[in-house]
Amino acid sequence: MKLTYLGHSAFEIKSGKAQILIDPYLVCYPNYDRNHVTDIFVTHGHGDHLGSAMDISRQSGAAINAVFELANYCSSNKARANGFGLGAWIKFPFGRVIFLPAFHSSSSPDGIYTGCPAGLLFEIEGKRVFHAGDTCLNSEMKVLKEVFRPDIAILPIGGTFTMDVEQAAIAAQWIGAPKVIPMHYNTFDAIVADVSKFVEAIKEQGKEPVVMPVGESIEL
Ligand code: NI
Ligand code: MN
Protein backbone atom coordinates (compact mmCIF):
# COMPACT_ATOMS: atom_id res chain seq x y z
CA MET A 1 0.00 0.00 0.00
CA LYS A 2 1.11 3.53 -0.69
CA LEU A 3 0.53 6.37 1.80
CA THR A 4 0.74 9.94 0.47
CA TYR A 5 0.68 13.16 2.50
CA LEU A 6 -1.60 15.85 1.08
CA GLY A 7 -0.85 18.47 3.75
CA HIS A 8 -2.37 19.37 7.15
CA SER A 9 -4.23 16.18 8.20
CA ALA A 10 -5.01 14.94 4.68
CA PHE A 11 -3.63 11.62 3.46
CA GLU A 12 -4.27 9.28 0.58
CA ILE A 13 -3.89 5.51 0.80
CA LYS A 14 -3.70 3.47 -2.40
CA SER A 15 -4.11 -0.28 -2.20
CA GLY A 16 -5.22 -2.39 -5.16
CA LYS A 17 -8.18 -0.61 -6.69
CA ALA A 18 -8.83 1.49 -3.60
CA GLN A 19 -7.93 5.18 -3.53
CA ILE A 20 -8.79 6.27 -0.01
CA LEU A 21 -8.82 9.88 1.14
CA ILE A 22 -8.60 10.88 4.81
CA ASP A 23 -9.59 14.38 5.98
CA PRO A 24 -9.39 15.91 2.48
CA TYR A 25 -8.63 19.54 3.26
CA LEU A 26 -6.59 20.10 0.13
CA VAL A 27 -5.41 23.73 0.36
CA CYS A 28 -1.80 22.52 0.51
CA TYR A 29 -2.31 20.25 -2.52
CA PRO A 30 -4.89 21.94 -4.75
CA ASN A 31 -3.96 19.94 -7.88
CA TYR A 32 -4.85 16.59 -6.34
CA ASP A 33 -6.69 14.43 -8.90
CA ARG A 34 -10.10 13.91 -7.27
CA ASN A 35 -11.71 11.83 -10.01
CA HIS A 36 -10.67 8.33 -9.00
CA VAL A 37 -11.29 8.44 -5.26
CA THR A 38 -13.11 5.30 -4.05
CA ASP A 39 -13.55 5.95 -0.32
CA ILE A 40 -13.44 9.05 1.88
CA PHE A 41 -12.96 9.08 5.65
CA VAL A 42 -13.46 12.18 7.79
CA THR A 43 -12.44 12.30 11.46
CA HIS A 44 -14.71 15.22 12.45
CA GLY A 45 -16.72 18.11 11.06
CA HIS A 46 -14.27 21.01 11.32
CA GLY A 47 -13.53 22.71 8.01
CA ASP A 48 -9.85 21.79 8.03
CA HIS A 49 -10.83 18.08 8.04
CA LEU A 50 -14.17 17.88 6.21
CA GLY A 51 -12.41 20.05 3.62
CA SER A 52 -13.52 19.19 0.08
CA ALA A 53 -15.03 15.83 1.11
CA MET A 54 -18.56 16.64 0.00
CA ASP A 55 -17.45 18.09 -3.37
CA ILE A 56 -15.20 15.10 -4.01
CA SER A 57 -18.00 12.71 -3.07
CA ARG A 58 -20.43 14.43 -5.43
CA GLN A 59 -17.77 14.45 -8.18
CA SER A 60 -16.36 10.93 -7.83
CA GLY A 61 -19.34 9.10 -6.33
CA ALA A 62 -17.16 7.93 -3.42
CA ALA A 63 -18.99 7.66 -0.10
CA ILE A 64 -17.91 9.66 2.95
CA ASN A 65 -17.43 7.42 5.98
CA ALA A 66 -17.81 9.26 9.26
CA VAL A 67 -19.41 9.23 12.69
CA PHE A 68 -23.21 9.05 12.42
CA GLU A 69 -24.09 12.74 12.90
CA LEU A 70 -21.36 13.92 10.51
CA ALA A 71 -22.48 11.37 7.90
CA ASN A 72 -26.06 12.64 8.25
CA TYR A 73 -24.82 16.20 7.74
CA CYS A 74 -23.04 15.11 4.53
CA SER A 75 -26.12 13.22 3.30
CA SER A 76 -28.30 16.25 3.93
CA ASN A 77 -25.88 18.18 1.68
CA LYS A 78 -26.36 15.64 -1.13
CA ALA A 79 -23.08 13.78 -0.68
CA ARG A 80 -23.06 9.98 -0.34
CA ALA A 81 -22.24 9.06 3.25
CA ASN A 82 -22.14 6.08 5.62
CA GLY A 83 -22.50 6.68 9.35
CA PHE A 84 -20.72 4.65 12.02
CA GLY A 85 -20.12 4.65 15.76
CA LEU A 86 -16.87 4.17 17.62
CA GLY A 87 -15.41 0.80 18.39
CA ALA A 88 -16.16 -1.99 15.89
CA TRP A 89 -14.20 -3.20 12.88
CA ILE A 90 -16.06 -2.21 9.71
CA LYS A 91 -15.32 -4.18 6.55
CA PHE A 92 -14.48 -2.51 3.25
CA PRO A 93 -13.30 -4.02 -0.05
CA PHE A 94 -9.74 -2.86 0.81
CA GLY A 95 -9.62 -4.15 4.40
CA ARG A 96 -11.21 -2.95 7.62
CA VAL A 97 -11.42 0.20 9.73
CA ILE A 98 -12.34 1.13 13.32
CA PHE A 99 -13.44 4.57 14.44
CA LEU A 100 -11.76 5.25 17.80
CA PRO A 101 -12.09 8.04 20.38
CA ALA A 102 -10.51 11.45 19.85
CA PHE A 103 -10.84 14.14 22.53
CA HIS A 104 -11.77 17.34 20.73
CA SER A 105 -15.04 18.84 19.41
CA SER A 106 -16.93 18.46 16.16
CA SER A 107 -19.20 20.82 14.25
CA SER A 108 -19.65 21.64 10.58
CA PRO A 109 -18.28 24.86 9.05
CA ASP A 110 -21.85 26.26 9.24
CA GLY A 111 -22.07 25.49 12.94
CA ILE A 112 -24.09 22.25 13.07
CA TYR A 113 -23.18 19.65 15.70
CA THR A 114 -21.57 16.68 13.94
CA GLY A 115 -21.25 14.09 16.71
CA CYS A 116 -18.11 13.01 18.51
CA PRO A 117 -14.70 13.44 16.89
CA ALA A 118 -12.82 10.27 15.97
CA GLY A 119 -9.48 8.75 15.18
CA LEU A 120 -9.24 6.08 12.48
CA LEU A 121 -7.46 2.74 12.53
CA PHE A 122 -7.05 1.14 9.09
CA GLU A 123 -6.03 -2.46 8.51
CA ILE A 124 -4.96 -2.84 4.89
CA GLU A 125 -2.75 -5.57 3.41
CA GLY A 126 -2.06 -6.78 6.96
CA LYS A 127 -0.69 -3.38 8.09
CA ARG A 128 -2.36 -1.14 10.65
CA VAL A 129 -2.30 2.63 10.18
CA PHE A 130 -3.65 4.89 12.94
CA HIS A 131 -4.72 8.45 12.04
CA ALA A 132 -5.45 10.26 15.31
CA GLY A 133 -7.60 13.09 13.89
CA ASP A 134 -7.57 16.15 16.15
CA THR A 135 -7.10 15.12 19.77
CA CYS A 136 -5.45 15.88 23.07
CA LEU A 137 -3.25 13.37 24.81
CA ASN A 138 -5.52 10.76 26.39
CA SER A 139 -5.21 7.40 28.06
CA GLU A 140 -7.26 5.69 25.31
CA MET A 141 -3.97 5.74 23.42
CA LYS A 142 -2.73 3.04 25.80
CA VAL A 143 -5.59 0.84 24.56
CA LEU A 144 -4.18 1.22 21.05
CA LYS A 145 -0.87 -0.24 22.19
CA GLU A 146 -2.45 -3.00 24.25
CA VAL A 147 -5.23 -4.07 21.88
CA PHE A 148 -4.69 -2.75 18.35
CA ARG A 149 -0.89 -2.46 17.92
CA PRO A 150 -0.69 -0.10 14.92
CA ASP A 151 2.38 -0.31 12.67
CA ILE A 152 2.31 3.41 12.06
CA ALA A 153 0.79 6.31 14.02
CA ILE A 154 -0.10 9.65 12.41
CA LEU A 155 -0.30 12.29 15.16
CA PRO A 156 -1.18 16.00 15.35
CA ILE A 157 1.68 18.04 16.84
CA GLY A 158 0.69 21.67 16.21
CA GLY A 159 -0.78 22.57 19.61
CA THR A 160 -3.56 25.17 20.21
CA PHE A 161 -6.31 22.81 18.97
CA THR A 162 -4.56 19.48 19.59
CA MET A 163 -1.54 17.95 21.27
CA ASP A 164 1.71 19.87 20.94
CA VAL A 165 5.13 18.37 20.20
CA GLU A 166 5.82 17.25 23.77
CA GLN A 167 2.43 15.68 24.29
CA ALA A 168 2.46 14.02 20.86
CA ALA A 169 5.78 12.43 21.81
CA ILE A 170 4.11 10.98 24.92
CA ALA A 171 1.22 9.81 22.72
CA ALA A 172 3.71 8.04 20.46
CA GLN A 173 5.13 6.29 23.50
CA TRP A 174 1.66 5.21 24.67
CA ILE A 175 0.55 4.05 21.20
CA GLY A 176 3.77 2.15 20.64
CA ALA A 177 3.82 2.17 16.82
CA PRO A 178 7.36 1.74 15.44
CA LYS A 179 6.83 4.51 12.85
CA VAL A 180 5.35 7.93 13.63
CA ILE A 181 4.24 10.64 11.18
CA PRO A 182 3.58 14.21 12.42
CA MET A 183 0.61 16.14 10.98
CA HIS A 184 -1.58 19.20 11.70
CA TYR A 185 1.28 21.69 12.11
CA ASN A 186 2.62 24.78 10.31
CA THR A 187 -0.52 25.11 8.15
CA PHE A 188 -1.59 28.25 10.09
CA ASP A 189 0.12 30.61 12.54
CA ALA A 190 -1.82 29.06 15.44
CA ILE A 191 -0.25 25.63 14.89
CA VAL A 192 3.39 26.41 14.22
CA ALA A 193 5.57 23.63 15.67
CA ASP A 194 9.23 22.71 15.71
CA VAL A 195 9.11 19.34 13.97
CA SER A 196 12.84 18.76 14.62
CA LYS A 197 12.05 18.53 18.36
CA PHE A 198 9.41 15.91 17.61
CA VAL A 199 11.84 13.94 15.42
CA GLU A 200 14.41 14.00 18.23
CA ALA A 201 11.88 12.77 20.83
CA ILE A 202 10.66 9.93 18.59
CA LYS A 203 14.24 8.82 17.87
CA GLU A 204 14.97 8.80 21.62
CA GLN A 205 12.14 6.28 21.95
CA GLY A 206 13.88 4.04 19.41
CA LYS A 207 11.11 4.64 16.88
CA GLU A 208 11.29 5.95 13.34
CA PRO A 209 9.98 9.49 12.77
CA VAL A 210 8.67 9.94 9.23
CA VAL A 211 8.36 13.62 8.31
CA MET A 212 6.52 13.77 5.00
CA PRO A 213 6.70 16.82 2.75
CA VAL A 214 3.37 17.56 1.02
CA GLY A 215 2.98 15.23 -1.95
CA GLU A 216 5.49 12.66 -0.70
CA SER A 217 4.58 8.97 -0.60
CA ILE A 218 5.86 6.01 1.37
CA GLU A 219 5.33 2.31 0.78
CA LEU A 220 4.05 0.30 3.72
NI1 NI B 1 -10.71 20.12 14.70
MN1 MN C 1 -8.01 20.58 12.89
Side-chain angles (χ1 to χ4, degrees), residues 191-214:
I191 57 171
V192 168
D194 184 348
V195 74
S196 68
K197 287 210 170 109
F198 186 68
V199 164
E200 215 173 285
I202 297 303
K203 280 185 182 162
E204 272 171 26
Q205 295 176 21
K207 300 184 175 78
E208 183 189 345
V210 183
V211 177
M212 297 180 71
V214 174

Side-chain angles (χ1 to χ4, degrees), residues 18-116:
Q19 184 170 331
I20 302 156
L21 266 184
I22 307 166
D23 282 358
Y25 175 70
L26 299 175
V27 296
C28 309
Y29 200 128
N31 295 329
Y32 179 75
D33 177 6
R34 306 154 176 229
N35 295 307
H36 308 290
V37 176
T38 57
D39 306 86
I40 303 166
F41 288 82
V42 180
T43 59
H44 64 293
H46 291 157
D48 59 318
H49 298 262
L50 183 60
S52 305
M54 294 195 290
D55 281 342
I56 296 168
S57 172
R58 288 184 290 249
Q59 192 175 332
S60 65
I64 297 168
N65 300 286
V67 162
F68 188 72
E69 290 82 357
L70 177 52
N72 281 349
Y73 172 79
C74 295
S75 300
S76 70
N77 283 283
K78 299 189 170 52
R80 272 185 68 206
N82 302 315
F84 301 105
L86 305 185
W89 285 113
I90 304 149
K91 285 188 182 155
F92 290 87
F94 58 78
R96 54 183 191 160
V97 180
I98 307 186
F99 287 76
L100 290 169
F103 290 72
H104 188 63
S105 62
S106 183
S107 56
S108 68
D110 53 349
I112 294 168
Y113 171 70
T114 46
C116 60

